[in-house]
Amino acid sequence: MADHTINSAGLVNFHKLIVLAGSVEGARPLFEQLVNDVVGVAHPEVRSPTASPGDWGIDAFIGDLDGGTVGVWQAKFYPTKTDVGHQSDIRDSYKSAHRAAGGNGYTLSTWTLAVPSELTPKMMQWWDNWKKRTEKRDNVALDLWDAGRLRRLLMPEQARATREYWFGSHTTHPTLQQSTPDPVLWQDVSNENRYDDFLFVHQLAHANMHETRSAREAFFNAEILEAEVADKAVPREVGALRTWRARIGSTWENKYNSIAADTTGNLLPGLYEHVMDVIDSKHNDHAEGLRAQTLHGQGLMHQQVEAARAGWVRNWREIAEIRDNFAQVSPVEELGTAPTAGELKAIESESKTATERVQ
């Protein structure tokens, strides 16, 4: 097939990212890279973490994550307009970055939202109000890079290389041959007992779900999918996996809040079944984009639980904290290997005995 040529006459038009990627979904990681490069014009030391499994709410940052002060940029690809429907997404992104700073020992000094579109008047009003309240409450300086701000940041002479790289007047890209890549194969777990002491298995047990072979298999295959995406480091796939994780987290959170508000007691009937059904029935687009199956999405959900970002009962945070305390008593770095089931049980017994003595 012949190459296709995009003639943008040097115009900074963010819709070009969609043309380059072939889809809105594919343009998201490209926009993240673009924002990283724009930050790099003034801050060559800018860095961008990879999700493993989380990225601490950071798309790009400057500063020191080891107890220092950090400025964070969050890229949100809203290609048409940034409207009131995006408010919760923006708030959640900021909360993730602020929470990660507090939980990992560094200080969040600035948080900048970057979007490739303009804000509606109502959204501008909301942003100004939310910015003032948040800055006063958290002592964090908030900033907004909308489409106009990004264009102006790309206009100076020192930004010429970045501008021409992304928006050169004539950029020719080879048209990809239409072929179907090999799918990510589903694999059996050779030793399911290796997950006996994993948090996601314990969370299932607390929800009275004791048959967990399929959950362990899904978790195992999600780990394989994550490793393949990380190994190939294709921006489109990295971004697609991050987006799928975000949607899975939102699916769980919405249903958790709904059931928790309507029930009493620790058990949350229907939470697990609903979340997995939604992933299986409505996440086909995410799976296909990664040549995966929706069962991989169920595994990604178990990864969220393993990372102490979700759970299946009301007190899931307490369960996660207990397991985390065990890990601190016998850290992997000191043992050289992960604690065995026997070692964890011994720790649990000692902890229980010590608690009884205090009481």
Side-chain angles (χ1 to χ4, degrees):
M1 291 186 180
D3 291 348
H4 66 271
T5 301
I6 302 169
N7 186 345
S8 61
L11 179 67
V12 176
N13 184 340
F14 300 107
H15 280 269
K16 179 179 178 181
L17 300 178
I18 301 176
V19 177
L20 290 173
S23 67
V24 172
E25 199 62 42
R28 295 182 193 281
L30 292 184
F31 182 64
E32 291 177 11
Q33 291 180 25
L34 169 61
V35 171
N36 195 305
D37 289 346
V38 175
V39 176
V41 173
H43 304 282
E45 74 278 15
V46 65
R47 292 180 286 171
S48 180
T50 187
S52 181
D55 58 8
W56 294 1
I58 298 172
D59 285 331
F61 77 97
I62 58 173
D64 183 2
L65 291 177
D66 187 18
T69 300
V70 172
V72 167
W73 280 260
Q74 178 72 52
K76 291 292 184 182
F77 194 71
Y78 309 140
T80 305
K81 62 182 178 179
T82 303
D83 207 347
V84 292
H86 298 122
Q87 291 174 8
S88 61
D89 188 31
I90 293 169
R91 280 196 303 264
D92 289 346
S93 293
Y94 169 77
K95 288 177 183 176
S96 294
H98 189 260
R99 185 167 54 245
N104 293 283
Y106 57 90
T107 300
L108 182 64
S109 61
T110 63
W111 187 83
T112 301
L113 172 68
V115 295
S117 55
E118 308 293 354
L119 278 65
T120 62
K122 279 287 187 183
M123 190 61 178
M124 288 181 180
Q125 185 180 48
W126 173 84
W127 170 267
D128 290 343
N129 181 270
W130 179 70
K131 177 179 184 293
K132 291 175 185 176
R133 289 186 288 107
T134 304
E135 288 181 333
K136 183 177 180 180
R137 182 190 67 208
D138 297 339
N139 194 30
V140 177
L142 271 60
D143 199 2
L144 173 66
W145 288 6
D146 59 6
R149 180 81 174 275
L150 281 167
R151 282 194 300 270
R152 290 187 290 276
L153 288 170
L154 285 164
M155 287 178 184
E157 181 62 26
Q158 62 265 35
R160 176 194 290 271
T162 300
R163 183 177 66 250
E164 291 185 351
Y165 177 83
W166 288 99
F167 305 101
S169 58
H170 295 278
T171 306
T172 301
H173 297 269
T175 301
L176 300 178
Q177 294 292 333
Q178 298 298 316
S179 60
T180 303
D182 293 333
V184 179
L185 297 178
W186 191 259
Q187 299 188 32
D188 293 331
V189 181
S190 58
N191 178 17
E192 64 178 276
N193 294 332
R194 63 186 288 195
Y195 299 114
D196 284 351
D197 292 312
F198 275 52
L199 175 58
F200 79 95
V201 173
H202 283 268
Q203 293 279 21
L204 288 169
H206 279 273
N208 288 336
M209 289 180 280
H210 302 287
E211 292 295 334
T212 60
R213 176 175 174 77
S214 61
R216 297 172 191 230
E217 193 169 82
F219 181 89
F220 172 64
N221 279 273
E223 296 278 283
I224 294 174
L225 174 64
E226 180 184 39
E228 288 195 11
V229 170
D231 184 58
K232 290 189 297 181
V234 176
R236 183 194 66 78
E237 292 189 351
V238 172
L241 182 59
R242 178 182 295 178
T243 300
W244 196 4
R245 286 189 191 282
R247 187 176 177 189
I248 287 170
S250 177
T251 297
W252 170 85
E253 185 177 275
N254 291 338
K255 193 59 181 179
Y256 176 91
N257 289 336
S258 174
I259 294 179
D262 293 340
T263 60
T264 58
N266 195 41
L267 294 179
L268 301 174
L271 174 60
Y272 182 87
E273 293 81 357
H274 174 87
V275 171
M276 294 309 184
D277 284 348
V278 169
I279 292 173
D280 194 47
S281 62
K282 297 183 179 180
H283 288 200
N284 290 291
D285 53 338
H286 295 288
E288 291 173 1
L290 289 166
R291 301 169 294 105
Q293 305 175 41
T294 52
L295 284 172
H296 285 95
Q298 295 189 18
L300 293 174
M301 182 65 242
H302 290 303
Q303 283 188 329
Q304 297 271 57
V305 177
E306 182 63 27
R309 300 180 66 180
W312 305 115
V313 290
R314 193 182 298 272
N315 71 331
W316 64 270
R317 287 187 176 85
E318 296 174 17
I319 298 168
E321 186 176 356
I322 291 172
R323 304 300 297 178
D324 185 55
N325 289 339
F326 291 164
Q328 291 179 21
V329 172
S330 296
V332 173
E333 294 82 10
E334 294 182 10
L335 290 175
T337 59
T340 65
E343 288 168 335
L344 281 172
K345 287 179 181 178
I347 294 168
E348 185 174 8
S349 176
E350 291 175 6
S351 176
K352 181 178 180 181
T353 302
T355 301
E356 291 173 348
R357 282 200 298 267
V358 171
Q359 294 174 341

